[in-house]
Amino acid sequence: PEPNEVLLGEMRRRYPEPFETLPVQVRSPHCWRLFVKFCFFSGLPIAEGEMHYLVKSAVKTTPSSPGQEATHEFEEIALSHEVLEAVNGVVS
């Protein structure tokens, strides 16, 4: 969802104490941007449309009880372009 008065009102309702600690300047929806992807290594947000890399792998899980078969769970790891450049020693 886009940041707007309704979303901030919901945040205020769900998290009243932390919300009250926010400076008045950032209680406006115009000061916010929502992110849904974060770099696995740095923890920094990856903006929509920003160059990044995805590592996809299948992880075999062990059965939780005898007689069950092992399953494969798919895991996706996001890496920011800047982190990958730093790891590879590339200067932009």
Side-chain angles (χ1 to χ4, degrees), residues 59-72:
V59 179
K60 187 175 183 179
T61 59
T62 56
S64 58
S65 61
Q68 285 185 331
E69 292 186 27
T71 60
H72 287 85

Side-chain angles (χ1 to χ4, degrees), residues 35-86:
F35 294 95
V36 293
K37 288 185 183 175
F38 295 86
C39 179
F40 180 79
F41 291 110
S42 70
L44 296 173
I46 298 173
E48 189 173 329
E50 184 177 333
M51 182 184 278
H52 66 284
Y53 303 90
L54 293 176
V55 178
K56 295 181 180 183
S57 63
V59 179
K60 187 175 183 179
T61 59
T62 56
S64 58
S65 61
Q68 285 185 331
E69 292 186 27
T71 60
H72 287 85
E73 292 184 17
F74 292 92
E75 187 173 67
E76 189 175 274
I77 297 172
L79 302 172
S80 73
H81 180 68
E82 290 81 10
V83 166
L84 201 59
E85 282 185 333

